[in-house]
Amino acid sequence: MSAGAGTASLELPGGFALESGERLPSVTVAHRTWGRLDAGGTNAVLVCHALTGSADVDGWWGALLGPGRALDPDRDFVVCSNVLGGCYGTTGPTSPRPGGHGRWGGDFPAVSVRDIVRVQAALLDALGVKRLRLVVGGSLGGMQV
């Protein structure tokens, strides 16, 4: 599977240590944003998707996203990233294995919810977010919140 239309990718600098003690040599984070980050970096809203979801908030929570709605791009900088270990563009089993030897597949290390959240925090830092106004999600997204 691949990331949806409008999805951007960010390569996190350096490797990424997992809670298990294993280390990923690199991590790419696929994500989508709506709206603009204010000068202070304080109007960000993080949306965390469910286990089988993707960063396409407009597709699965479209009724909540838009001017005058709960997730208002005229007011908020809305961010949603695809989870670490998922299949929508963030590093996971379908990603190329380091060294160009096929894909990770079943050799991809287990990740924890904390690992997923730490990757999101690194993405937010890279985007210039200083403070979140709101974090919301259902299912696995609720566990991240």
Side-chain angles (χ1 to χ4, degrees), residues 25-120:
S26 64
V27 172
T28 299
V29 185
H31 63 283
R32 292 195 60 193
T33 64
W34 295 262
R36 299 187 92 139
L37 186 62
D38 66 20
T42 61
N43 68 325
V45 171
L46 179 63
V47 179
C48 302
H49 68 72
L51 179 63
T52 58
S54 68
D56 301 322
V57 174
D58 54 337
W60 47 268
W61 265 0
L64 296 178
L65 178 67
R69 297 181 180 170
L71 305 172
D72 186 342
D74 292 339
R75 173 191 66 222
D76 305 316
F77 178 59
V78 180
V79 179
C80 186
S81 65
N82 292 312
V83 297
L84 178 66
C87 58
Y88 290 101
T90 294
T91 300
T94 61
S95 300
R97 184 188 296 273
H101 303 294
R103 302 203 179 274
W104 279 97
D107 292 333
F108 192 78
V111 298
S112 69
V113 174
R114 283 187 187 106
D115 292 329
I116 292 168
V117 170
R118 287 180 33 248
V119 165
Q120 289 172 334

